[in-house]
Amino acid sequence: MTPLYYLSANEALRLFRTRQLSPVELMRAIIERAEHVEPTVNAFAEQMFEQALRAAAAAETRYRPRGEPRPLEGLPVAAKEEQHIIGHPVTDGTLLRSSYPAGETAVVLARIEAAGGILHARTTTSEFCCMPLSHTRRWGVTRNPWNPHVSAGGSSGGSAASLAAGTAMLATGSDIGGSLRAPASFTGVVGFKPPHGRNPVLPPAGLDPYFHHGPMARTVADCALLQNVMAGEDSRDPASSLPPVTIIPPHLDDVRGLRVAFSATPGDFPVDLEVRANTRAAVGALESAGAVIEEVEIAWRLDEIKQALWAHFGSGLAAELVELDRQHPNTITPYALAFARKGVQTAPHVDGETGRALESAIQGHLDAVFAHFDAFIVPTVGATAFAAGEDYTDTQLMVNGVALEHFSDASLTPAFNISSANPVIAVPSGWARNGVPTGVQVVAAKYDDTTAFRVASAIERTLGAGFAGRRTPALPT
């Protein structure tokens, strides 16, 4: 029997409606689970359990006769600490930022609460949300529930770890270079990067086309449930110009006749042999479901993508962090400082015009794929794990016996932040020998959210990896 804390969100809603489960009972189970596993996992930056229990009691009344439950009524939702909640501190995981209270709530969180979701905890991030790691000097090490010796990934690693550990039913994250998708891959959950403009983000962050707020969940249908609430225009975000797209899970997994391209080793990206094999297994599952599969080459080069990223980030956040380190030495985590120094060193050699030309070429290579296909499948992360608490400033990450210049070179996610109009959903593809999940990214044509969910749902149903296969972490405490 599935423990209450590992129910899917859609199943919990069904049990609420039939009065077989109450929101208070579920919230207590989630809190008890957190008290049991948080000393190991450390996914929470802030706990809001008392107010969550009060909200659960109020939600319970809406399931009584003549009540009107809302779409997320009574579901425990963990929110990434970076996303503001009025009156609560915002630190982005750094000791350099005082715990000032936010003056307003992020649009997507306000919509979740308006839909009946209960924000019961805020989750840890990497410092300044700048790296695919999950440890900071402010919060310590967030660990992967499948294998606590390795990282949950970042920067939305706390949300991913919480879902995998059973301490949240749904969760939110943000993504500027893969921060929803990389931790989803490492923890066996689902993360969706919407097209830029689909989910509103308060400025100034929302003005960056690389940046997105998105949903995370243990199943594709649950991810769709949360995305349906988050999406839609908001006047406070001038970039949120896209209407919401309602994703209807029961009609998602028919992929018969869809043309799907895949690349287990796109461009010259380093990809572990186990990740490659699991990517091919996911594609094989799609083919068994009736999709038309073809392996393709995409002319991406890791060095060109890195140059485009440095042109984008080098003169902004990187320069700010170097100045902060000058004012407050030995305070910033080594991985964040290494990122900043590399950006400042590289930015002068890649001007804005060169960066834009590289972005255009990267987008053009992807557009060429979608001239012939409905979806494109690639691995999410080329490595099978990052060590928990490791900064990778003195340690090199090895993939297939090759030392990477930087551990983040193992992430195959940033190209899809450059091509920001393409929806991308990360789903589990299997497991590595270290017990940690692997994942693939399902990419759809610009603004075609429904196809991305449709293909991801078919992979989940036919492959049965991650939580879709009812496999859960044997977490030591």
Side-chain angles (χ1 to χ4, degrees):
M1 180 177 177
T2 303
L4 292 182
Y5 48 80
Y6 275 136
L7 289 175
S8 72
N10 279 281
E11 177 66 6
L13 290 175
R14 185 189 69 79
L15 295 174
F16 288 164
R17 294 187 201 102
T18 57
R19 309 287 296 279
Q20 297 175 70
L21 177 68
S22 79
V24 171
E25 186 180 3
L26 177 60
M27 187 63 73
R28 284 178 176 155
I30 292 283
I31 291 171
E32 288 175 6
R33 176 66 170 172
E35 290 171 345
H36 184 60
V37 303
E38 263 298 284
T40 298
V41 177
N42 189 34
F44 290 163
E46 181 185 2
Q47 298 176 354
M48 303 180 290
F49 293 163
E50 290 186 11
Q51 67 189 62
L53 284 168
R54 291 194 295 271
E60 194 170 293
T61 65
R62 288 179 173 263
Y63 286 101
R64 293 173 184 168
R66 293 184 295 279
E68 297 182 357
R70 296 164 290 181
L72 304 180
E73 196 70 64
L75 294 177
V77 183
K80 186 174 181 178
E81 196 259 9
E82 175 199 33
Q83 296 164 335
H84 294 199
I85 299 176
I86 190 168
H88 290 257
V90 180
T91 68
D92 287 337
T94 180
L95 295 171
L96 294 176
R97 205 163 275 173
S98 60
S99 299
Y100 67 91
E104 62 181 326
T105 297
V107 179
V108 293
L109 300 189
R111 288 179 174 175
I112 288 168
E113 290 190 303
I118 301 172
L119 302 178
H120 71 295
R122 303 174 73 207
T123 58
T124 58
T125 73
S126 58
E127 186 171 19
F128 295 106
C129 300
C130 71
M131 280 287 117
L133 297 173
S134 51
H135 66 274
T136 64
R137 287 175 171 167
R138 174 174 285 276
W139 295 316
V141 180
T142 297
R143 299 181 181 275
N144 193 320
W146 297 91
N147 179 348
H149 297 291
V150 303
S151 172
S155 64
S156 304
S159 286
S162 175
L163 287 167
T167 59
M169 194 135 288
L170 300 168
T172 67
S174 63
D175 192 317
I176 199 169
S179 294
L180 279 157
R181 292 159 285 150
S185 178
F186 281 137
T187 58
V189 302
V190 180
F192 178 57
K193 180 204 80 69
H196 185 71
R198 183 78 72 205
N199 294 358
V201 181
L202 294 174
L207 301 177
D208 185 345
Y210 284 27
F211 190 81
H212 312 74
H213 281 172
M216 303 180 80
R218 286 191 290 267
T219 70
V220 173
D222 285 0
C223 194
L225 176 71
L226 186 54
Q227 172 60 17
N228 287 343
V229 167
M230 299 172 80
E233 298 178 58
D234 186 278
S235 60
R236 290 167 290 178
D237 177 5
S240 70
S241 57
L242 301 180
V245 172
T246 301
I247 310 297
I248 306 173
H251 305 290
L252 284 180
D253 57 7
D254 183 1
V255 293
R256 287 172 293 182
L258 275 187
R259 298 164 301 165
V260 179
F262 83 96
S263 179
T265 54
D268 63 348
F269 278 83
V271 180
D272 184 271
L273 295 176
E274 289 183 290
V275 176
R276 296 185 201 182
N278 289 347
T279 300
R280 292 183 180 279
V283 172
L286 274 180
E287 191 168 33
S288 71
V292 179
I293 304 296
E294 184 176 331
E295 187 167 8
V296 301
E297 296 287 341
I298 185 165
W300 281 344
R301 292 294 172 262
L302 177 58
D303 186 61
E304 292 177 352
I305 289 175
K306 287 162 65 176
Q307 287 186 62
L309 294 173
W310 286 125
H312 187 84
F313 293 118
S315 60
L317 177 60
E320 178 188 348
L321 296 191
V322 168
E323 176 59 23
L324 285 172
D325 178 65
R326 187 189 66 78
Q327 298 173 15
H328 308 278
N330 303 315
T331 305
I332 297 176
T333 48
Y335 66 77
L337 187 57
F339 158 83
R341 288 173 174 166
K342 178 69 173 178
V344 169
Q345 291 167 4
T346 307
H349 305 289
V350 188
D351 59 29
E353 183 177 352
T354 301
R356 287 188 292 273
L358 288 167
E359 288 178 338
S360 179
I362 291 161
Q363 178 70 67
H365 292 314
L366 186 60
D367 290 343
V369 173
F370 284 106
H372 305 284
F373 296 94
D374 302 300
F376 183 38
I377 309 292
V378 297
T380 308
V381 184
T384 57
F386 299 148
E390 173 62 63
D391 290 311
Y392 288 102
T393 54
D394 300 315
T395 303
Q396 285 187 306
L397 184 70
M398 307 290 289
V399 174
N400 297 339
V402 177
L404 304 189
E405 179 184 16
H406 191 271
F407 75 96
S408 64
D409 293 350
S411 294
L412 287 81
T413 53
F416 302 114
N417 294 84
I418 294 170
S419 54
S420 62
N422 294 88
V424 188
I425 185 167
V427 291
S429 61
W431 291 268
R433 285 190 301 271
N434 58 9
V436 175
T438 61
V440 293
Q441 298 175 90
V442 178
V443 190
K446 294 175 181 177
Y447 310 115
D448 187 6
D449 305 36
T450 298
T451 294
F453 274 89
R454 184 178 168 189
V455 174
S457 181
I459 293 173
E460 178 183 73
R461 176 177 58 84
T462 55
L463 189 62
F467 289 91
R470 290 297 182 191
R471 182 169 174 175
T472 56
L475 182 70
T477 55

